[in-house]
Amino acid sequence: MATVGKVIKCRAAVAWEANAPMVIEEIEVAPPQENEIRIKVIATGVCHTDLYHLFEGKNKEGFPAVLGHEGAGVVESVGPGVTEFKPGDKVIPLFLSQCRECKFCKCPKTNLCEQSWSSDRYAQMSDTTTRFSCRGQPILQFMGTSTFSEYTVLNQIAVVKVHDDAPLDRVCLLGCGISTGYGAAINTAKVEPGSVCAVFGLGAVGLAAVMGCKNAGASRIIAVDINEQKSEKAKVFGATEFVNPKAHKKPISEVLAEMTNGGVDFSLECVGNVTVMRSALESCIKGWGVSVLVGWTDVQDFSARPIQLISGKTWRGSLFGGFKSKDSVPKLVLDYMAGRIMLDEFVTHNMSLDQVNDAVQLMKTGSCIRSIINVSK
Ligand code: NAD
Ligand code: ZN
């Protein structure tokens, strides 16, 4: 416990500016303040939302920052007022917090938390009350988490303890992508047994949505991606068919309507592209079809013809799969440990922190599902 109460110097990948590679730097991580805990990050996934911030988002205020929000680690020390955690606990950071006190946390209809970083720094995707600095300059914390660092400091509402035997280099994926896609199918779309589903975009988020449709008992799951190589992987998670929109002259919604006698019961957009969002809505059957936006984008407006909704379709969105984070993530860890959900099958690459830009490149080129960065031993 030589580090308790002291500044820790450690390695982190610093995103100094947008559209540039991250740089491995020695940063200083201040001790946790009231209601905060400091953790040693063991492993982290790389999610498309990290790439979105680095390359696609419009707002360039959220830099310099340490990215990463799909991690798992071990508690190093706790600040004043923290009773729920002790050094050595295995934990998962939660980009969507659960304070249990705000009106959203108290409402069973939503998983939003008013105390989350996102309630006032949504566009910047960063937290200004940072514990990081590098060469005397403050470094922002991304999504309240920042897992591309050997140590990070989290508010206790944005972290949860998980089972002592949980393998951190796998359950880290439950900190974002897998919970997001899986929950979008089971909680937000509420996929029904025997239904016909379509999932657009087969990254980890989309594949987890496929897994959710399967576990909910869907009879047909049509996986849609412009990358032909995703087809085999989708079948591992339960897809019954694969369609590449580029292989057809007709719009994908017409292709799906023909395949399903009028449209799918449930569609999930897991790309983050407003054109695909529209296609996913148009692919649903009139009368009762439900389409869920899971992909993340805040750059462009979307559009659709009103008749799409007037004719009885429902368009919904989903953040973190609709899961109340503190309540649900430990249960999802147990689901994985009991074999009820897959995690290992999402992992295509294992890397060190030095290779973080390689992991970004793999995702940019569609050559990975999830790369796991082993941040610390
Ligand atoms: P990814 O880059 O690994 O996967 C995206 C997939 O979409 C790729 O397979 C790509 O080939 C495919 N794709 C691209 N254009 C397409 C098109 N026109 N039609 C069909 N498929 C297309 O990304 P990921 O990590 O799985 O994340 C997916 C999305 O989910 C991102 O937008 C990410 O920011 C978002 N996300 C949202 C939440 C949330 O809480 N709502 C959480 C995590 C991630
Ligand atoms: Zn994510």
Side-chain angles (χ1 to χ4, degrees), residues 309-325:
L309 303 185
I310 295 167
S311 66
K313 299 182 190 181
T314 304
W315 215 1
R316 311 196 60 186
S318 183
L319 186 63
F320 197 57
F323 284 117
K324 283 196 186 274
S325 58

Side-chain angles (χ1 to χ4, degrees), residues 151-228:
Y151 286 86
T152 187
V153 177
L154 306 155
N155 192 298
Q156 62 173 341
I157 62 170
V159 59
V160 71
K161 183 172 157 38
V162 297
H163 196 284
D164 285 335
D165 298 333
L168 297 180
D169 61 351
R170 290 294 176 269
V171 300
C172 60
L173 296 176
L174 292 168
C176 184
I178 311 313
S179 305
T180 294
Y182 185 66
I186 64 168
N187 300 325
T188 314
K190 294 190 166 57
V191 169
E192 294 162 0
S195 60
V196 178
C197 301
V199 176
F200 291 72
L202 305 171
V205 175
L207 293 171
V210 170
M211 178 168 78
C213 294
K214 171 145 198 250
N215 284 12
S219 62
R220 287 178 72 189
I221 305 166
I222 306 170
V224 182
D225 202 297
I226 52 173
N227 181 346
E228 202 74 38

Side-chain angles (χ1 to χ4, degrees), residues 241-263:
E241 290 134 276
F242 173 84
V243 182
N244 180 353
K246 283 189 171 167
H248 295 269
K249 286 206 181 73
K250 287 180 191 166
I252 179 71
S253 57
E254 283 179 33
V255 175
L256 292 178
E258 277 171 18
M259 286 170 68
T260 58
N261 190 22

Side-chain angles (χ1 to χ4, degrees), residues 334-354:
L334 297 179
D335 283 343
Y336 163 67
M337 292 171 75
R340 291 186 287 269
I341 60 171
M342 294 183 253
L343 289 182
D344 304 351
E345 290 76 1
F346 290 95
V347 179
T348 52
H349 298 78
N350 288 286
M351 298 183 165
S352 66
L353 186 60
D354 302 294

Side-chain angles (χ1 to χ4, degrees), residues 32-53:
Q33 297 184 3
E34 199 162 5
N35 297 321
E36 293 177 347
I37 72 167
R38 186 163 59 184
I39 73 164
K40 180 179 188 178
V41 178
I42 302 295
T44 180
V46 177
C47 167
H48 201 110
T49 310
D50 299 309
L51 273 68
Y52 173 83
H53 188 65

